[in-house]
Amino acid sequence: MKFGILVNEGPFQHQAADTAYHFIKAALDRGHEVHRVFFYHDGVNNANKLSEPQQDDRNVVHRWSKLAEEHGIDLVVCVAAALRRGIKDEILAPGFRISGLGQLVESGIQADRLVVFGD
Amino acid sequence: MLHTVNKSPFQTRNLESCLRHALPGSAVLLIEDGVYAALQDTPFADMVRKAMEQVRFYVLGPDLEARGMEPSKVIDGIEVVDYGGFVDLTVEYGTVQSWL
Amino acid sequence: MSEVTGGVEVEEEIGGTVKKFMFVNRKAPYGTIYALEGLEVVLISAAFDQDVSLVFLDDGVYQLKKGQHTKAVDMKNFSPTYRALEGYDIDKLYVEKESLEERGLTADDLVVDVEVLTAEEIAKLMAEQDVVLSF
């Protein structure tokens, strides 16, 4: 089955990004396809490569980049939400790209399930 | 249809709103702070038990564990699932509505 | 168009697929950004020719309250946008009866013409959807 994922909250502030990540890992383990993760609202902060969590904590941003690298998942950051919050190309972590909200709607059309994680 | 609730029932009315819209045959999955609604000894347990007459209830085990809540304290009939179980529920029940 | 739709060539890529999209609005305006940014998704969805409906329930009904004046809080008053949705062929706006009543509101208090449905009717409508996005 093909999944699209929407993440609406930033890393660390809320568990949404963590739950989304574990959901995706489990979906991949079961042989499903996750074609895109769309980051909206404060979720755009998941793409900030300047994030430096403490050594003993999980690195949410790196974790996304690794997921994109290993599984070819398209990580899309909403341009309007990103610009509001100062997330620009020069601070994007590997694997992320900035694009329009149409990518979210398209994900809803193409995926068998669109699952929303937020506050 | 699968409904997810991620807020404590002590803090918001999301669970109540979810239950008002969960049709017979649909399922509710409690995740994140929503897992507190799965426990036996809260003022919300009766509301959950009543809803369980028509709707299947599930709770995310990793979120229970993280919060120090033992599966033995979960209301009888609520099934504890892991993230893989969460994925299976979305496959089985179709469209997902997250009561954020 | 490709700028607003995120580079998606609408005509080519969706190839006639029409899905039922429901946007569930449950949050009050201004206190958080969800209502405003949720509305931005709704506007974009219009470009994809999908079967779009909006429901307003719980505090989401406050988004439609008439008479919003945001000058003193210096935030954008986006309530007139709901009236513009019809121009985008988005005309399925549903408001939950119970949520209105709990808040002492009636359809006359709202900025736009809506259909008032009971929670049960909304539940049935929700169960028919292919995609539900809640903000």
Side-chain angles (χ1 to χ4, degrees):
Chain A
M1 193 163 263
K2 190 191 247 194
F3 284 90
I5 304 292
L6 172 60
V7 177
N8 285 337
E9 294 300 322
F12 307 108
Q13 177 79 19
H14 193 282
Q15 201 185 341
D18 291 282
T19 306
Y21 175 79
H22 294 300
F23 179 92
I24 293 165
K25 289 285 277 185
L28 295 169
D29 281 348
R30 275 165 152 66
H32 297 298
E33 180 194 349
V34 178
H35 82 118
R36 180 172 297 156
V37 185
F38 193 87
F39 297 89
Y40 197 42
H41 301 304
D42 274 0
V44 298
N45 291 306
N46 280 280
N48 188 345
K49 73 175 179 190
L50 303 177
S51 162
E52 277 184 45
Q54 292 185 351
Q55 291 280 333
D56 60 352
D57 197 1
R58 77 256 190 243
N59 191 317
V60 175
V61 177
H62 285 187
R63 222 166 47 177
W64 287 123
S65 293
K66 199 157 164 267
L67 204 59
E69 190 187 338
E70 291 174 358
H71 300 279
I73 299 173
D74 190 18
L75 305 178
V76 181
V77 179
C78 169
V79 60
L83 288 178
R84 271 191 188 111
R85 294 165 177 85
I87 301 292
K88 301 192 172 181
D89 279 327
E90 50 266 41
I91 60 162
L92 277 193
F96 288 90
R97 64 187 179 96
I98 294 179
S99 189
L101 277 168
Q103 300 280 318
L104 170 61
V105 180
E106 187 196 55
S107 184
I109 296 168
Q110 292 179 344
D112 299 302
R113 300 281 186 275
L114 184 63
V115 188
V116 182
F117 297 90
D119 184 16
Chain B
M1 180 152 202
L2 176 69
H3 301 267
T4 69
V5 176
N6 73 341
K7 298 293 189 308
S8 162
F10 290 97
Q11 194 173 8
T12 72
R13 295 170 64 192
N14 285 10
L15 176 65
E16 198 186 322
S17 192
C18 166
L19 295 181
R20 202 154 71 184
H21 299 89
L23 294 178
S26 62
V28 175
L29 171 65
L30 304 168
I31 66 169
E32 300 172 357
D33 289 349
V35 300
Y36 294 114
L39 302 170
Q40 289 161 13
D41 298 318
T42 78
F44 308 98
D46 285 343
M47 179 173 78
V48 171
R49 285 195 189 95
K50 185 158 189 308
M52 285 171 66
E53 292 167 11
Q54 299 196 303
V55 173
R56 291 292 300 272
F57 262 73
Y58 301 86
V59 61
L60 196 58
D63 281 331
L64 272 181
E65 264 176 55
R67 288 159 177 79
M69 296 298 161
E70 288 153 31
S72 64
K73 296 286 166 63
V74 166
I75 294 168
D76 283 342
I78 297 185
E79 191 180 328
V80 181
V81 297
D82 59 9
Y83 290 105
F86 184 174
V87 173
D88 294 343
L89 290 173
T90 65
V91 172
E92 183 183 347
Y93 285 97
T95 308
V96 186
Q97 152 66 353
S98 309
W99 293 86
L100 304 174
Chain C
M1 183 55 81
S2 102
E3 191 178 326
V4 293
T5 58
V8 178
E9 294 300 329
V10 176
E11 294 298 325
E12 275 175 38
E13 297 221 0
I14 57 173
T17 306
V18 177
K19 282 194 171 184
K20 285 173 174 279
F21 273 73
M22 175 181 277
F23 295 96
V24 181
N25 300 283
R26 297 186 51 243
K27 299 199 175 152
Y30 311 116
T32 58
I33 198 168
Y34 301 106
L36 170 63
E37 288 191 331
L39 188 54
E40 289 178 357
V41 183
V42 172
L43 293 171
I44 296 298
S45 75
F48 287 81
D49 293 328
Q50 301 295 297
D51 183 357
V52 173
S53 56
L54 273 68
V55 300
F56 297 85
L57 48 102
D58 299 325
D59 280 350
V61 303
Y62 287 133
Q63 293 177 26
L64 300 179
K65 175 72 178 62
K66 270 182 191 162
Q68 297 176 29
H69 298 287
T70 57
K71 201 166 174 222
V73 293
D74 195 21
M75 293 167 94
K76 181 170 152 188
N77 177 2
F78 55 94
S79 63
T81 310
Y82 297 104
R83 282 203 297 266
L85 289 174
E86 207 176 358
Y88 289 83
D89 286 332
I90 296 173
D91 50 12
K92 294 182 185 172
L93 273 63
Y94 306 104
V95 175
E96 187 180 271
K97 184 169 174 279
E98 289 84 345
S99 300
L100 276 181
E101 285 175 357
E102 274 182 333
R103 289 162 180 78
L105 299 171
T106 70
D108 291 340
D109 294 307
L110 308 180
V111 293
V112 69
D113 283 339
V114 298
E115 192 173 339
V116 178
L117 299 178
T118 64
E120 197 185 347
E121 288 168 325
I122 285 181
K124 284 179 181 157
L125 204 59
M126 194 182 278
E128 291 170 5
Q129 304 299 313
D130 298 306
V131 181
V132 180
L133 286 167
S134 41
F135 293 104

